[in-house]
Amino acid sequence: MACTCEVIGLACVVALILSATAKAPYQMRMFFIFFGAGLIVFLCVPFMILRPRDYRNALFPSWCFRQLCRLVGITMEVRGLENVRKDHGAVVIMNHQSAVDLCVLAYLWPVIGRATVVSKKEVLYIPFFGIGAWLWGTLYIDRSRKTDSINSLQKEAKAIQERNCKLLLFPEGTRNSKDSLLPFKKGSFHIALQGKSPVQPVVISKYSFMDDEKKTFRPGHALIHILPEVSTEKYEREDVQQLIDECQSIMQTEYTKLSKEGQALSSKKQA
């Protein structure tokens, strides 16, 4: 127990140094985020085992991770809470930028409802974090085995209807930090159409405070906007591309708007 407390204490000291040093190395900040997330989950796993595959297992780790993000200088603001409907399920689609999206999930988890994240199976093998994510209900899919992935997602589509779940996905399919969103893949939308579930777009402003290519990472602020649901009632399965186009247009417009505002807020924070 004493050893664990010492590790936590050391981690906090490092975080304070990082938050006070605007030009702290990119690698150091990213290491601290990953190390901190692993440590948080490691300490919570014994309690999560008591109710496996329950989304509530992520509530306390999410709170801890929000504090961790603040320590390294990342703050986030969630807007559009009035658009969250907890009386029914939905397919929640988000733009995907970097590992810092873990912060976004930490902010969304307490407010979005009974959530389940879809992730690539490789995440399962990340020490401590992978098993912790499985315990709070993350659905791991093998992208190389398309049939298995489709079967797993079909089960989740049924769960959306039966248990009012919110299935969280990144339709771009890969990380993207450019000004334009990548073309959306169809999987998320097929799930929504199969169960006639609404699609709820969530837009995260561009992380102007970090650059994965230039390896720069400064304190900054990001905006998360939960947009109104897009009904799938008027669409049939053969209309999937029309649904994709509608959702992407809505998200691109908001992404451009939010990114400008987020950049201004981050600049003030760094001044």
Side-chain angles (χ1 to χ4, degrees):
M1 182 67 181
C3 181
T4 300
C5 292
E6 290 174 2
V7 172
I8 295 174
L10 177 61
C12 290
V13 171
V14 174
L16 288 173
I17 294 173
L18 290 177
S19 62
T21 308
K23 295 184 179 181
Y26 170 93
Q27 292 86 351
M28 191 178 295
R29 287 183 186 273
M30 293 302 291
F31 171 79
F32 186 79
I33 288 176
F34 282 114
F35 173 80
L39 179 61
I40 290 168
V41 174
F42 171 72
L43 295 175
C44 293
V45 162
F47 303 97
M48 293 193 286
I49 290 175
L50 300 176
R51 53 181 184 191
R53 308 294 290 165
D54 192 315
Y55 81 101
R56 293 174 296 178
N57 282 332
L59 292 175
F60 183 67
S62 292
W63 180 87
C64 293
F65 200 65
R66 292 196 297 275
Q67 313 317 309
L68 176 73
C69 291
R70 291 190 181 102
L71 284 174
V72 297
I74 302 172
T75 53
M76 294 190 174
E77 174 188 347
V78 182
R79 299 176 178 176
L81 294 179
E82 69 279 5
N83 295 320
V84 176
R85 297 281 303 277
K86 295 185 179 181
D87 58 338
H88 62 245
V91 173
V92 179
I93 55 173
M94 304 174 287
N95 54 302
H96 187 20
Q97 298 183 69
S98 78
V100 176
D101 291 340
L102 287 173
C103 297
V104 175
L105 294 176
Y107 275 84
L108 281 178
W109 207 266
V111 300
I112 202 70
R114 187 188 296 270
T116 298
V117 176
V118 176
S119 179
K120 57 185 180 181
K121 71 170 185 177
E122 287 78 6
V123 174
L124 178 61
Y125 306 115
I126 298 176
F128 309 126
F129 185 84
I131 186 63
W134 182 85
L135 286 169
W136 64 60
T138 296
L139 176 65
Y140 293 112
I141 60 174
D142 185 348
R143 292 178 178 175
S144 65
R145 302 179 64 179
K146 189 173 182 180
T147 302
D148 289 350
S149 298
I150 292 175
N151 290 338
S152 297
L153 292 176
Q154 285 176 339
K155 292 179 181 178
E156 289 303 313
K158 188 176 181 180
I160 290 174
Q161 293 178 307
E162 295 180 349
R163 296 188 285 118
N164 294 333
C165 288
K166 300 295 175 66
L167 191 62
L168 278 57
L169 302 105
F170 299 101
E172 290 174 285
T174 188
R175 297 176 184 180
N176 172 42
S177 57
K178 297 180 180 179
D179 294 332
S180 297
L181 302 177
L182 296 176
F184 288 176
K185 296 184 181 299
K186 296 181 179 180
S188 312
F189 304 94
H190 278 306
I191 295 170
L193 289 173
Q194 181 176 327
K196 285 299 179 184
S197 303
V199 176
Q200 182 142 54
V202 173
V203 178
I204 304 99
S205 63
K206 186 176 181 179
Y207 300 148
S208 58
F209 49 86
M210 68 178 295
D211 189 317
D212 288 325
E213 293 183 359
K214 296 181 179 178
K215 304 300 180 186
T216 58
F217 194 158
R218 304 186 69 190
H221 188 75
L223 302 171
I224 306 167
H225 194 178
I226 304 172
L227 300 176
E229 295 176 344
V230 175
S231 174
T232 58
E233 291 298 327
K234 62 181 179 180
Y235 293 106
E236 300 298 330
R237 291 188 181 183
E238 58 270 20
D239 302 323
V240 63
Q241 190 58 50
Q242 295 179 35
L243 175 60
I244 292 173
D245 292 343
E246 179 181 355
C247 292
Q248 181 143 18
S249 176
I250 292 170
M251 291 182 69
Q252 180 64 61
T253 300
E254 187 64 21
Y255 179 61
T256 301
K257 175 184 172 183
L258 278 188
S259 295
K260 290 180 180 178
E261 185 180 353
Q263 184 174 12
L265 292 171
S266 291
S267 296
K268 288 182 180 179
K269 189 171 185 178
Q270 295 166 9

